[in-house]
Amino acid sequence: MRSTTIESVTRIARVLRLVAWAGAAACVAVTALAVLAPPDASSAVAATLSTDGLPHAWAAGIALAVAAASAGALAELARMLGRVEAGQPFSAAAIRHFRRFAGLLALAAALRVALPPLATLAAAWREGQHAVRLAFDGGDLLALLPAAVFFLVARLLDEAARLEDDSRSIV
Amino acid sequence: MAIVVRLDVMLALRKARSRELAQFVGITESNLSLLKSGRVRGVRFETLGRICEFLGCQPGDLLAYVPDDEAADGGGEE
């Protein structure tokens, strides 16, 4: 029964790890495509960078920063799942990767919320405007919540690691 | 450690081998060695019961309470 559960967890971890690596690669590739491709490019597959009135270079910088943090988070998640696949779900390394995943996810969410308005303010100040209109997406703000929950999960994993250590030293 | 494991004493009294005991109980010899040296945090009742069954003894024959100050003095009950 227990070995069946472990096999099932290992199989799910392997699939999720591959999905996480694919997601990280896709995140970087699509963002790079959107940043580097000319706006009027006509091809079968196209990625568009939404500038929202910002200079193209600034919008590209924001997109790259968010993509780097997101891809980093997915890579850390994949590495953590690799530990789960190896049968070490509560090892110190697995928990460290999970904590980094939560941190980078929070960073990506924070950058997505904070950078566009800051860039808009900076652009307005540079152009000498006295009034500026800022827009916040509720979905982006909500994305901070899972990141906070993942930090809590990391704390729970710490406790699980302690219990596993206890269990291992009971014969 | 206030609890002293006297498994080695019982094994000697019964003239039993560690390997046979480990096989009977269903634990590895390395785990049995850790248990004999008292370097474990606990013993499952199931393990304790199997050891008692093999050695024909009571749990009290395997475990003894020795206050820390006595252990530091090198004393004990013996």
Side-chain angles (χ1 to χ4, degrees):
Chain A
M1 180 74 176
R2 188 168 182 268
S3 66
T4 314
T5 308
I6 291 171
E7 280 171 22
S8 168
V9 167
T10 303
R11 201 169 46 247
I12 293 168
R14 185 182 306 127
V15 172
L16 286 178
R17 183 172 61 85
L18 294 174
V19 169
W21 277 125
C27 188
V28 172
V30 170
T31 308
L33 190 68
V35 168
L36 298 175
D40 55 346
S42 57
S43 60
V45 179
T48 311
L49 179 67
S50 174
T51 59
D52 287 333
L54 289 171
H56 185 271
W58 290 25
I62 291 170
L64 285 173
V66 172
S70 303
L74 286 170
E76 287 297 334
L77 178 64
R79 293 173 75 186
M80 182 265 186
L81 290 167
R83 297 285 177 170
V84 173
E85 203 181 323
Q88 305 159 350
F90 304 120
S91 64
I95 296 170
R96 192 174 56 244
H97 288 309
F98 191 79
R99 190 169 283 119
R100 283 182 194 161
F101 158 67
L104 285 167
L105 197 68
L107 178 67
L111 289 177
R112 208 165 28 238
V113 169
L115 280 186
L118 287 176
T120 305
L121 279 174
W125 176 76
R126 203 173 65 158
E127 290 166 10
Q129 293 177 9
H130 297 292
V132 64
R133 186 175 173 172
L134 300 176
F136 290 95
D137 188 343
D140 287 343
L141 282 170
L142 211 62
L144 286 166
L145 189 64
V149 171
F150 285 140
F151 270 116
L152 177 67
V153 172
R155 283 290 299 123
L156 293 175
L157 285 176
D158 275 333
E159 185 61 15
R162 194 188 63 75
L163 290 173
E164 192 196 41
D165 184 44
D166 264 1
S167 168
R168 216 172 273 200
S169 55
I170 293 175
V171 293
Chain B
M1 170 75 82
I3 299 295
V4 176
V5 180
R6 297 211 162 122
L7 184 55
D8 48 355
V9 175
M10 284 307 296
L11 276 167
L13 285 172
R14 299 288 190 265
K15 295 183 173 57
R17 290 176 187 276
S18 294
R19 184 184 297 179
E20 292 164 1
L21 176 61
Q23 277 180 349
F24 183 83
V25 174
I27 59 174
T28 61
E29 279 190 76
S30 61
N31 269 351
L32 187 67
S33 175
L34 289 172
L35 178 58
K36 279 199 292 184
S37 58
R39 280 179 288 161
V40 291
R41 283 187 203 161
V43 188
R44 290 189 180 86
F45 283 148
E46 186 188 353
T47 307
L48 196 57
R50 294 286 286 171
I51 293 172
C52 289
E53 188 184 344
F54 183 83
L55 296 173
C57 64
Q58 293 296 315
D61 299 325
L62 300 169
L63 304 172
Y65 172 71
V66 178
D68 282 336
D69 50 347
E70 279 186 38
D73 292 344
E77 293 171 21
E78 288 171 339

